[in-house]
Amino acid sequence: MRYYRYKNAEVSCCYKYLMFSYNIVFWLVGAAFLGIGFWAWSEKGVLSDLSQVTRQNGFDPVWVVLVVGTVTFVLGFAGCVGALRENICMLKFFCGVIGVIFFLELTAGVLAFVFQDTLREWISDFFLTNVKGYRDDIDLQNLIDSLQRTNQCCGAQNPNDWNTNNYFNCTDDNPSRERCGVPFSCCLADPAQTVVNTQCGYDIRARPEREWNTVIHVKGCIPALEGWLPRNLYIVAGVFIIISLLQMLGIFLARTLIGDIKAVNSGF
């Protein structure tokens, strides 16, 4: 008697659990981002009064956390369930969204390179808009302070940009103690100080401009960022390449699983 072995199509366990492992990380990261975002909103009282969302003068960084968290959570969920349940619909959804995100990133990079002057102007206007809301949102305040400290800059183009803020403007009828000043993040670092002097920028713009550079940074953050990018071009390019490779890996795993599932289904 002779025995014959038939080769039946089957879903690769290797690709299946690679896909699951790939997505479980993003699912958990997305859940963490959502948790942090809603916690930040609860601390600011936004969850108890949602009308605050429409009353904000500047950009709320929590929106970035929530949007990134939502997209990452949904994609991670679709990828995990699609891989474990061998669901073609979810895998196609995952693959399609990743493809759209990759295309948008590529398009944004090309447009930013082609329209550099327009982008520079838009970023400057965006920064000035958020300077106005500096004292209205603690997260925005921390973001601007971090940006100014890291890049050793002050304002969008120069320290006088803080004149657009109600607390720092130099008008005679401004009762604020911070009148004609700048935030402490504009100040030159003093290695001898162990405690941050949050009043170091008080009244600095009431002095002659030639004295400013002894107390604060006089370069704007837009020129500072323009100088930072060429110095760190390889790092930026490396981050973009790593993100692109991870996205292409996700698309490859999803498409491979879809092909295996279709092959198995066609055998019935």
Side-chain angles (χ1 to χ4, degrees):
M1 181 179 293
R2 301 179 65 182
Y3 294 92
Y4 297 91
R5 183 180 179 183
Y6 296 94
K7 294 183 178 179
N8 296 323
E10 62 179 16
V11 176
S12 171
C13 287
C14 178
Y15 287 128
K16 179 177 180 177
Y17 290 107
L18 270 177
M19 181 70 175
F20 174 78
S21 302
Y22 174 91
N23 282 280
I24 193 67
V25 175
F26 290 100
W27 193 8
L28 294 174
V29 169
F33 268 60
L34 286 174
I36 292 170
F38 284 119
W39 171 79
W41 265 4
S42 68
E43 288 293 303
K44 294 190 291 187
V46 175
L47 294 182
S48 58
D49 182 13
L50 293 178
S51 63
Q52 291 186 36
V53 174
T54 60
R55 296 202 306 265
Q56 293 172 343
N57 294 324
F59 171 72
D60 187 353
V62 176
W63 275 112
V64 175
V65 177
L66 289 175
V67 170
V68 172
T70 300
V71 173
T72 307
F73 182 84
V74 171
L75 283 177
F77 176 81
C80 286
V81 176
L84 288 180
R85 302 297 298 173
E86 298 178 7
N87 188 303
I88 291 179
C89 182
M90 282 196 168
L91 290 173
K92 283 186 175 180
F93 170 79
F94 171 85
C95 195
V97 174
I98 289 288
V100 170
I101 292 173
F102 179 78
F103 174 76
L104 291 176
E105 290 171 350
L106 193 61
T107 302
V110 172
L111 291 176
F113 180 78
V114 174
F115 300 102
Q116 294 183 34
D117 293 336
T118 303
L119 178 63
R120 187 183 299 110
E121 184 179 347
W122 180 84
I123 293 176
S124 180
D125 292 341
F126 181 74
F127 194 95
L128 285 173
T129 300
N130 288 289
V131 162
K132 296 177 183 178
Y134 175 79
R135 287 297 189 203
D136 299 333
D137 186 284
I138 187 62
D139 294 318
L140 176 62
Q141 181 176 316
N142 291 335
L143 180 63
I144 292 177
D145 284 337
S146 177
L147 179 66
Q148 293 192 144
R149 279 199 306 267
T150 303
N151 293 281
Q152 298 180 348
C153 58
C154 189
Q157 300 295 337
N158 57 65
N160 277 325
D161 290 332
W162 284 98
N163 217 40
T164 60
N165 185 279
N166 290 333
Y167 294 90
F168 296 99
N169 72 64
C170 286
T171 54
D172 294 334
D173 59 348
N174 182 9
S176 172
R177 178 62 189 87
E178 296 175 311
R179 176 182 174 274
C180 267
V182 293
F184 72 94
S185 53
C186 287
C187 296
L188 300 174
D190 186 354
Q193 287 185 341
T194 56
V195 178
V196 176
N197 180 10
T198 57
Q199 300 180 1
C200 59
Y202 281 16
D203 302 319
I204 183 63
R205 290 188 298 112
R207 304 183 194 176
E209 287 193 24
R210 62 179 180 274
E211 298 179 10
W212 292 4
N213 59 4
T214 61
V215 181
I216 63 173
H217 300 290
V218 294
K219 180 187 289 187
C221 290
I222 303 303
L225 288 173
E226 289 176 354
W228 176 88
L229 187 58
R231 296 195 305 270
N232 298 273
L233 188 61
Y234 290 112
I235 296 176
V236 174
V239 170
F240 180 77
I241 290 172
I242 290 172
I243 293 174
S244 300
L245 289 175
L246 286 173
Q247 290 172 335
M248 287 188 284
L249 175 62
I251 294 174
F252 169 76
L253 292 173
R255 295 304 305 176
T256 302
L257 271 181
I258 291 171
D260 286 355
I261 295 169
K262 285 183 176 179
V264 171
N265 293 340
S266 65
F268 290 98

